[in-house]
Amino acid sequence: MILKCIAVDDEPLALDILEDYISKVPFLKLVKRTENAIEALQVVNEGGIDLVFLDIQMPELTGIQFLKIAGNKADYILTTAYSQYALESYDLNVADYLLKPIAFDRFYKAVEKVRNLREKLENNGGSKPIEQQIAPIVGQVNTPSANAVQDYIFVKTEHKIQKIELEDILYIEGLKDYISIFTKSERIITLQSMKKMEETLPKSNFMRVHKSYIIALDKIESIERSRICIASKIIPIGDTYRDEFFKHIDGKNI
């Protein structure tokens, strides 16, 4: 499978880097590079483009505005030097988000993800862009049935449904409208509420100890006063949760 690409950025140096990276990947073909977002929009609207590398901050037409106008005519990988746009990108049906300066290995991982998902869609008889195919099924964290043995959950991240083994979860941190799930090997960001996550996780091994933290009880390394240590992370115990937490811990003491 060859993916026809267009690179859109108002910085020539950024375009040079993208063009160089694209030339190194056998399944990518650069159709056009441009500093003009409006020109790029016309190219995408004409059809035939599979993947767009799109800068967010551009004059005349921002990357966000570009996405809202272009819709699902292609798959998109956002590029920007500003990390604050990462969370907003989750609502924009993009395949991935690359933070400048972009490393080649991270670039390759992003484009390989697009190719693999498109190949799966083709094998299943589909031909729509990634986000259009996934959009109907993404959403809340799965809730197990009453009689099921739950040992994993599914969460939406980077416009895919990712399976997370409960055994791998160390702790979960809530930040406004999204949460970070810290596992043994990675940090996973998903648009989800702490309340929903607390209701979903089995209470046998997960406990909310602060308005911003849920912990895996079996991953606790030590407890000192009102602080819990898990994988070198110090997690505070909130006043609202203190009594219940220490009641549970006292039951495990010998």
Side-chain angles (χ1 to χ4, degrees):
M1 170 181 286
I2 301 297
L3 300 179
K4 295 180 180 179
C5 311
I6 180 172
V8 192
D9 201 304
D10 63 327
E11 298 179 2
L13 179 58
L15 286 174
D16 289 342
I17 293 172
L18 285 172
E19 183 172 4
D20 178 56
Y21 285 0
I22 291 170
S23 70
K24 294 177 180 177
V25 181
F27 57 84
L28 295 182
K29 179 182 179 181
L30 182 62
V31 175
K32 187 176 184 62
R33 55 170 282 177
T34 180
E35 299 173 32
N36 189 318
I38 296 176
E39 180 184 24
L41 184 61
Q42 292 174 342
V43 174
V44 172
N45 283 336
E46 289 172 359
I49 299 298
D50 300 309
L51 178 60
V52 180
F53 296 95
L54 182 63
D55 185 33
I56 291 180
Q57 288 197 316
M58 294 182 291
E60 297 182 348
L61 190 66
T62 69
I64 306 300
Q65 293 168 335
F66 188 108
L67 285 167
K68 291 177 179 178
I69 296 171
N72 294 322
K73 294 183 176 66
D75 289 316
Y76 301 89
I77 293 178
L78 295 183
T79 63
T80 183
Y82 301 94
S83 60
Q84 66 263 33
Y85 291 108
L87 290 172
E88 187 176 359
S89 72
Y90 284 109
D91 283 334
L92 296 173
N93 287 336
V94 299
D96 211 335
Y97 173 95
L98 298 177
L99 187 63
K100 299 175 182 177
I102 302 168
F104 179 74
D105 61 336
R106 181 66 182 85
F107 172 88
Y108 187 86
K109 181 180 179 181
V111 297
E112 187 177 42
K113 177 170 67 175
V114 174
R115 182 189 65 166
N116 289 340
L117 287 172
R118 276 185 168 261
E119 286 181 344
K120 288 180 181 178
L121 291 176
E122 279 197 358
N123 292 336
N124 291 331
S127 58
K128 297 178 181 178
I130 294 169
E131 65 273 14
Q132 194 172 349
Q133 289 280 349
I134 293 177
I137 63 171
V138 296
Q140 302 297 320
V141 178
N142 282 6
T143 303
S145 63
N147 299 321
V149 177
Q150 184 189 15
D151 54 8
Y152 60 86
I153 56 174
F154 287 101
V155 299
K156 174 187 175 183
T157 175
E158 294 185 337
H159 288 275
K160 66 180 179 181
I161 303 297
Q162 182 165 344
K163 180 180 180 181
I164 305 176
E165 300 287 343
L166 296 187
E167 172 61 28
D168 291 337
I169 297 176
L170 300 173
Y171 61 92
I172 297 164
E173 182 178 6
L175 293 168
K176 205 171 181 179
D177 297 326
Y178 67 97
I179 61 174
S180 292
I181 302 173
F182 291 83
T183 72
K184 296 175 181 178
S185 60
E186 61 182 328
R187 176 191 180 191
I188 301 164
I189 298 175
T190 180
L191 287 168
Q192 187 57 264
S193 69
M194 287 289 282
K195 184 176 184 295
K196 180 64 178 178
M197 182 59 72
E198 183 181 10
E199 292 172 350
T200 300
L201 292 170
K203 291 179 172 47
S204 58
N205 194 43
F206 290 91
M207 179 176 288
R208 192 165 184 174
V209 297
H210 187 276
K211 66 178 182 179
S212 300
Y213 289 98
I214 296 172
I215 65 167
L217 293 166
D218 63 342
K219 302 302 190 303
I220 295 175
E221 296 173 0
S222 63
I223 304 167
E224 182 179 354
R225 297 179 182 175
S226 295
R227 300 184 301 174
I228 300 166
C229 180
I230 298 179
S232 299
K233 168 73 174 180
I234 302 301
I235 297 172
I237 302 172
D239 292 340
T240 305
Y241 307 91
R242 189 188 312 277
D243 291 345
E244 183 180 354
F245 172 73
F246 280 107
K247 180 179 179 181
H248 177 87
I249 294 300
D250 288 342
K252 302 292 184 180
N253 287 343
I254 58 173

